[in-house]
Structures are given as structure tokens and as C-alpha cells.
Amino acid sequence: MRNCFLIFACTAGLTAQVKYDAIVQGPRADWLTYAGNYQGWRYSPLTQITAQNARMLTPQWVYHVPDARGLRSSPLVYDGVLYITNTNSIYAVDARTGRQIWQWADPRAKRQGVNRGSAILGNRVYLTTADNYLVALDRRSGGVVFSKKFADEGKGTTSTSAPLIVKDKVIVGSAGGDSGMRGFIAALSAEDGRELWRTYTVPAKGEPGAESWGDLIEWGGGAAWLSGTYDPELNSLFWTTGNPWPDFAGATRKGDNLYTCSLLSLDLDTGKMKWHFQFTPHDTHDWDAQSWPVLLDTEINGRPRKVVLHANRNGFFYALDRVTGEFLRATKLIDNVTWAKGIDDKGRPMEIPGQDPTPEGNWVCPSVKGATNWMGQSYSPLTGLLYVITLEQCGRYNMSSQTPKPMSNFSGGGATEEGGQVIVRALDPKTGKRVWEYPMTGAGRMWTGTVSTAGGVLFTGDDDGHFVALDAKSGKNLWHFNMGELSTASPITYSVDGKQYVAIASATAVFAFGLFEPAEPVTTPAITVVK
Amino acid sequence: MAALAVVLPLAAQHGRYLNESRNPAIGKPEAIAAGAKLFSGSCGGCHGPDGGGGARGPNLVQRALWHPLADEAIFQAIRKGIPGTDMPPTALEDEQTWNLVAFIHNLTGPASEQKVPGDAAAGKQVYASAGCGGCHAIRGEGGRLAPDLSNIGGSRPLASIRESILEPSKDLFYLGNEGVSVTLKDGRKLEGVAKNRSNYSLQLIDRKGDLHLLRMNDVKEMTVRANSMMPGDYGKRLTKEQLRDLLAYLAGQTIR
């Protein structure tokens, strides 16, 4: 099989461009958006690598990202080129060989920080800088088409998420909620970067919801530091929000602190909030709701529903109706949850008193890292299972009585992460029940996401630097490879020239794997040098 | 091939911008002028009158490309010298030393932050009539064969932009600018710039700006140009005023 739409021989010319419709269709040979498709599935229909032959996987190439440490970026692939970002920079590499084609960096950015990836549309790739510029580059040359500032880093906002492109809009978010800022989600024009709308995640004084706050509302946080998902039929975006600030000291912000630790449904055209659902009202454990809202049509309690699934840092796994925001169900995501007895039938946690951080420290489960986190989960329509990276970990939560000062790296306290185990869990979306689990060895440090395929394979990283392939049906290990360093990013899969690859960023490099084929000796042609 | 000698350590420059000095001399015209005067007296003997290199000291503009220094580090180099080399220590007052730093910062910093003479609007016309846009792009307009110039003023000192135009084959800063043409085993011919190549694969961008990701096993013959694809005669074709205006236009190309 040759994938004609992928190789240069068929595409060279003006016609090949990333169309919105191709993103809607979801991954095929290419991987066009952070989570693979708009529903947040991280699922690929490619079938060359299967549960039967995964043990034949071998490394195909490694690309060391210049100056990288702790990469968080999930690559995109289009037309044989793989794009990987690092702080204020992006690299285009040949997806078959790992050879760099171009690089772009903005050394004058006023901040450095995590970058989770890029977006692609037409002939442009988009990324944001840590100091809040949206940059559009020509995908072939890396030339700048525009670079436009959308937020002021002087107000505590930085940018870390991969932009999400829907139709003609580039949706960007805001990070920095642990030091005080006001979270927002904004739609910028894919054409020239101008702002089309901006929706704040924390109301201004006097607006509805402001009564759920105290004096520090202007610095309330609710950062939107992970990109979200999109339902083309409803024309709704689904975006999660982070913790209220100061993270660990709740006394200055009595109330629910809307709309922090929530899932928001926004109208794509206007940014208007259609509904919100708050997982953790008045959070004091830094349990941002950042984890992918996965969109799925399934049966809940025997009734067909358009649902949004959300595995939350607070220890519970939720199903909501994504049309209305109605709470449908919550089950325990991890075993060790000490702060709440469960979730009541309105969707509110039944809190156990005395679980807030204290000056001496209070032992609470889950830990500050949460029962899961932003690492990409995967839904496989083949198995009907949702694969979530979970963390069984507790920690000591401390509170500081210092007067909170925004943008001074003060979060009202702090927390420890002690021991703990990462476990991949396959969940049944219909019931929330566990179908299988794959416990890992390690120190609870990984942030690796997942990708699943129509070949029946689930790829993820172990908690100790191994990249692994599991049988998506049973959770049985099929193959592993030691990358030599912990991974904090999510894998993808793509195909070029009829060959399927699986790629993942380790801390410093991108690794690509494919099925073993005997090497072809290369005869270098005659090279003439002319003056 | 000398053409591939120097790779600009872009990332190494992070240090420079993140640690921008707060000394008031930096960027201050009077300080830069005072520094220039001092420089021609005490330093130009070795580094050349304009810092462009001399008998006993390196070209400071070029050196800053591979050894970018934060202002504080330039200060220390001037004060303490570089032991084991000809670069001597000095006994200048702090203020004078900072004036020298301001001069070097200006000399080696991005052109967009320098005071550049000339008429940028007229320079834009020169850019168009000289055909620069056939190979280069600025903000999405133009060719994709040659390096993007959208941020040329924001990333290169004026002296190095001038040199790129006047002596394109003298110093190619980027690996990835070789002009190549290949004949494939299937008979097709491609011509453009090798963004990268090895004995095993070639990543070529053609004159239309399309990428071709090739296996060397599919290549029958390859020709590599030893000098730049950029025309080498702009020094003759452009008048002094045209060049000045062109530089003013390019110095203003910055994405920040």
C-alpha cells in the first residue's frame, strides 16, 4: 500500500494543504492536531502495527531537540514532515529519517517555559511563545507569516498549550495560575492573529459568579493551560480550567471560586459560555481540571447520550451530558481518595471535613499531582475503552499564612509528592468501571500520555523511561524500549510512504519506531561540486 | 566546503536577552558615542577601528554570533582581559567601561535595536527592484528558497546583514543553504536548496518553495554549488544610497 496523499511524488505542488475538513476526519496517515481528532481520542486507524507484530518494533530514528530538557510537546505530522516544539521554538524534521528540515526560535522572548505543541492549517504551523505571541510559520520553510501578541506576560500570564485550530480560528489559552493571574480562552484569527473573542474563566467584580470570590478575584487564576476539544455538530468547544489562587490558602477566597477547576462549554463563534461544570468547588489542593475532555456518543444507564468524559485530578472519573452539562455519573478513578466520600447526584463532592492544607501539613490523597493530569488519554472505538494514566499517590499539603502577593511565585503553601504508583487503567465509558490495569514501576514522575490504534495496540511510557506497547484489549505488555530518560509527553502515530511510525518525545529527543525491515545499503551518487 | 563553517547558536543567545543588563548606558546614544571614541583609541588597534577585526584581535561582530555575551560578561572581559590571550585587562573607571559595553552591545546586537541611517521606505523599493523577494520572504510574501527575512533586523547585527548582501559567498552562517540540483533515477530533475542532506537522504526545497524529501538511493546524480545561490554582485549593482536604504529597510524587519 502506498499512501499517495503523503509522499512528495504525489503532492508536490500547490494543492497539498491542511484543510479544516481533514482535521474533522481525524488522523489517517497524518496527525494534524494535538489530540489526533477534535474529540480528544488520540486514536489512529492505522493497522500496520498490530498486537501480533508489535514485538517487531525497532527504533527508526532519534532527533535530539536542541537545548531541550523535559520536553512536553506532542508532535504533528503532515505530508511527511514532523513538527516538534520546545520553549519559544519549533523544529520541522523529515518524518521518515528524523533529519531536520528547518528550525525556528525566538531568542528574544521574555520568558521561557513549557510548550506542549503546535497546530497546523493551510500552509502554516502555529505555536505560541511563553510570553504570549501567536506565531504562524510557513510549514515548508519555517518563514514567519505573522507573530502577534495576545496577552501581557506582565500580568502573570504565560502560554504553554498547543493551540487548537477550528475553522478559521486559533484557540489559545493562558497559564500561570499558581502565581496569580486571570485565566482566559481566546480565539484569534488564523489569517492574521487578530483577536476574535476572549472569554475569561474568572468573572470580573460585579459579574455573575463574582460572589463566589473574595478580594483577590482579579488574580483568581482559573488558567486554561491545556488545549481542549470540539464538537462540530454542537459547534461547542470544551475547555478545562485550573486552580483558584492562592492555591493552598482558601481563606481569602471564600466560596466556590467560579469558574476554576471546571469544564466549560463555549460557543465557537462567540466564545459565550453555554454551560459550566465545576468538579472541585473552592479547591485548596491545586487540582486543576486539566485533563482531556473526551467526547463520545454512548449509552449511560441504558440511554444513548452525547457525553463528555473527564478523568479528574481530584480522584473521580466523570461523565456529563455535553449538550447541557448535566451531571450523569462519577466513579472513583483511583483507590486512594481521602478528601471526599464520593460525588453526590448533583455532581458536587461530598467532602470530608478537615482536609484543607494546614501550617503543619495535612496528609491527603490524591497528591497535588492529582489522580491523573494533562497527559493525553486515549479512547479506542475498536475496544470501546478509555485509557487513562492514573497515579495512586498522597502528599502533605501545607498552608502559609503569608499575605498573598500576586506574581511573586507564591501559591499560599505547598505540597509534597511521596512515593506512589502510576497505573494505566482501561475504563468502560458506559459504566466507569475498570476493565484492566497496567501497574508501572517508578517514582510517580512520568507525564506520558497514550495513543491507541486500530491495530489493537496502546502505546504509552512507563514511569521509568521505557516506551511500551500494550494489548489494547487485555492490557498485556507486548513490547518495551528503554529511551534512557523519563518522558513527559504524549505519543502519536503516522504513516509515510506506506510505513507506520510511532513517535514520542523523551525529555530531550523525539524517538520514532516502526516495524523491523532489513536495512537497504545506500549507494551515494556521484556528487559534483561546481563553482 | 568552507560554506558550511559556522552554525549560528541561536539558542545560546537566550542568555543575552534574558539577562538584559539594566545598566543605564546600554542603548543610550551618548554612552554609545563615548564608547565608540574610547574604542577607536584603546581597542581599535587590535580589533580594527569599527570592531571589524584587525591584526591582533578578532572581528567582534562575528565573534558575537558564535560567542554571544551578556553585557555583564563583556564588562568583565574588558576589565579583566582574557588571560592567556592578547586581550589585555584595563584600568578604566566603571562608567567608561560601561560606555564601551554600550558600544559593543550596539555593534553586535540586533540591527533593529541600532540607530541605522537611511530611508526604509526607499529601501523597500530597492528590495523589490533588486529581486530579493524572488528568493526571500518577509511575513509570508516572497520566495521560500532562501532564509526568511521577517526577523533579519531582530536577529542580526547590521554589519552582518551588510556582509550577507555584499559578500554572500564569504560566510554562510547556516548549514542548510547549499544550492543543489539532482537527477533522480526515475529521470526527474530537481533544483533548489538542500535544507539538509546526508549520505542517505536529502531534504530539498525547490525554487517554487515546495519540499522534496528524498532518499539518496533514489538519486542518480547530484551537483552542489560551492558558493551561494545569492547573486554576488549586489555590491556593484546597488549605489551607496540604495544599499544604505536597503539596510535601513532590513534593519526594521523584526517580529518584536
Side-chain angles (χ1 to χ4, degrees), chain B residues 20-45:
Chain B
E20 258 170 323
S21 164
R22 253 160 287 216
N23 191 287
I26 304 303
K28 198 167 129 196
E30 305 86 73
I32 296 169
K37 219 162 143 200
L38 260 176
F39 190 89
S40 63
S42 320
C43 325

Side-chain angles (χ1 to χ4, degrees), chain A residues 8 12-13 67 79-81 94 96-97 99-112 129 131 133 138-141 143-147 497 520-531, chain B residues 1 10-11 13-14 17-18 110 112-113 138-140 144 148 150-151 154 188 195-201 203 205 209-217 219-227 254-256:
Chain A
F8 63 86
D67 301 306
D79 204 19
V81 181
D94 183 333
R96 290 190 302 190
T97 62
R99 299 285 292 175
Q100 183 179 300
I101 301 168
W102 54 257
Q103 61 166 314
W104 178 88
D106 190 347
R108 288 190 295 166
K110 295 212 168 51
R111 269 176 183 261
Q112 294 194 278
T129 63
D131 61 345
Y133 281 77
D138 188 284
R139 68 176 173 87
R140 297 151 297 192
S141 64
V144 177
V145 182
F146 67 79
S147 171
D497 234 356
E520 230 179 281
V522 177
T523 318
T524 309
I527 299 177
T528 320
V529 178
V530 294
K531 281 254 165 20
Chain B
M1 234 169 310
L10 268 179
Q13 296 204 353
H14 283 183
Y17 296 108
L18 287 176
S112 63
E113 290 167 19
I138 293 180
R139 295 193 175 250
R144 292 187 291 273
D148 186 58
S150 309
N151 195 35
R188 282 190 308 143
K195 301 296 281 183
N196 203 348
R197 68 182 180 91
S198 67
N199 276 0
Y200 320 108
S201 69
Q203 291 71 28
I205 191 159
D210 289 323
L211 280 177
H212 301 270
L213 309 178
L214 304 167
R215 292 193 161 106
M216 288 307 264
N217 262 345
V219 175
K220 192 164 109 207
E221 280 163 14
M222 175 152 101
T223 303
V224 177
R225 295 173 59 131
N227 44 23
T254 170
I255 57 167
R256 279 182 179 261

Side-chain angles (χ1 to χ4, degrees), chain B residues 34-237:
Chain B
K37 219 162 143 200
L38 260 176
F39 190 89
S40 63
S42 320
C43 325
C46 288
H47 288 291
D50 57 355
R56 291 178 63 198
N59 179 325
L60 291 178
V61 177
Q62 280 188 356
R63 185 169 171 112
L65 290 174
W66 60 266
H67 197 225
L69 293 178
D71 296 331
E72 194 61 41
I74 301 175
F75 183 94
Q76 293 305 334
I78 298 172
R79 168 125 322 157
K80 297 186 180 145
I82 304 175
T85 77
D86 279 355
M87 171 74 188
T90 54
L92 297 167
E93 302 283 314
D94 276 12
E95 194 191 327
Q96 291 173 304
T97 309
W98 275 113
N99 288 345
L100 277 170
V101 176
F103 169 74
I104 293 173
H105 181 111
N106 188 59
L107 184 76
T108 59
S112 63
E113 290 167 19
Q114 298 174 352
K115 230 180 130 228
V116 175
D119 177 348
K124 189 173 181 180
Q125 299 299 320
V126 176
Y127 181 87
S129 57
C132 315
C135 298
H136 294 282
I138 293 180
R139 295 193 175 250
E141 301 277 328
R144 292 187 291 273
L145 184 76
D148 186 58
L149 299 182
S150 309
N151 195 35
I152 190 76
S155 59
R156 293 264 194 281
L158 190 64
S160 109
I161 302 177
R162 183 191 289 114
E163 189 180 289
S164 300
I165 297 171
L166 298 180
E167 302 172 90
S169 289
K170 183 170 150 200
D171 235 325
L172 302 191
F173 295 129
Y174 277 116
L175 181 70
N177 284 319
E178 284 172 301
V180 296
S181 47
V182 291
T183 306
L184 302 183
K185 286 180 181 156
D186 67 9
R188 282 190 308 143
K189 286 188 193 322
L190 296 167
E191 200 211 336
V193 162
K195 301 296 281 183
N196 203 348
R197 68 182 180 91
S198 67
N199 276 0
Y200 320 108
S201 69
L202 165 66
Q203 291 71 28
L204 179 144
I205 191 159
D206 67 19
R207 283 189 177 271
K208 288 202 326 251
D210 289 323
L211 280 177
H212 301 270
L213 309 178
L214 304 167
R215 292 193 161 106
M216 288 307 264
N217 262 345
D218 296 329
V219 175
K220 192 164 109 207
E221 280 163 14
M222 175 152 101
T223 303
V224 177
R225 295 173 59 131
N227 44 23
S228 177
M229 287 184 83
M230 173 142 158
D233 58 354
Y234 282 127
K236 285 185 217 124
R237 270 156 66 186

Side-chain angles (χ1 to χ4, degrees), chain A residues 346-383:
Chain A
K346 291 257 151 46
R348 210 175 162 91
M350 297 180 277
E351 291 190 45
I352 297 168
Q355 301 295 310
D356 280 341
T358 58
E360 312 74 52
N362 208 350
W363 185 255
V364 178
C365 319
S367 73
V368 65
K369 226 174 140 180
T372 185
N373 211 301
W374 60 269
M375 55 280 263
Q377 50 211 302
S378 169
Y379 171 74
S380 164
L382 183 77
T383 59

